[in-house]
Amino acid sequence: MARAIYPVLMDVIRRRASIDLANLALAVRERCPEPEHPIYRLRPDDLPRPLQVLRAFTSPRGYPDMTCVVVQGTAPLTAEDYADPTRAAARAFTFDWPSVEEQLALQCDKWRRDFEGRA
């Protein structure tokens, strides 16, 4: 899911905008039209978990939190994580995200293998 959400968040960040959970789910579904994709089994309120996965990737590396552009109403979904949500968004807007895309893909693959190994 994190890999499917990433390009949608990148579009939002490039536009220097925000997106709510319902529209995030719709945008991911548009990019992943295969009916067997996990996004079709999730409700918008289930999306915070894959967003946490993205934060688990960015936080230890010192990258901005790309999920700060996801809102609930007009407030960032994880507003409690930001002393200054506007500053967090500005940092995400100016970061060089394409440079980390391959790292994210490799990390997601590792997490999937680890999860499958435990199942």
Side-chain angles (χ1 to χ4, degrees), residues 102-114:
E102 186 176 339
Q103 292 174 37
L104 175 63
L106 292 171
Q107 183 63 58
C108 287
D109 288 343
K110 181 185 180 319
W111 283 333
R112 185 177 51 245
R113 284 190 311 274
D114 291 350

Side-chain angles (χ1 to χ4, degrees), residues 37-84:
H37 192 278
I39 189 65
Y40 291 95
R41 292 189 300 274
L42 294 181
R43 298 181 325 264
D45 348 342
D46 296 330
L47 285 173
R49 183 164 179 160
L51 294 174
Q52 289 173 345
V53 170
L54 288 170
R55 282 194 297 278
F57 169 76
T58 57
S59 182
R61 291 166 176 81
Y63 300 156
D65 181 358
M66 70 181 74
T67 69
C68 71
V69 300
V70 180
V71 296
Q72 190 168 1
T74 58
L77 185 64
T78 54
E80 69 279 357
D81 294 338
Y82 310 110
D84 183 352

Side-chain angles (χ1 to χ4, degrees), residues 66 96-97:
M66 70 181 74
D96 179 21
W97 290 108

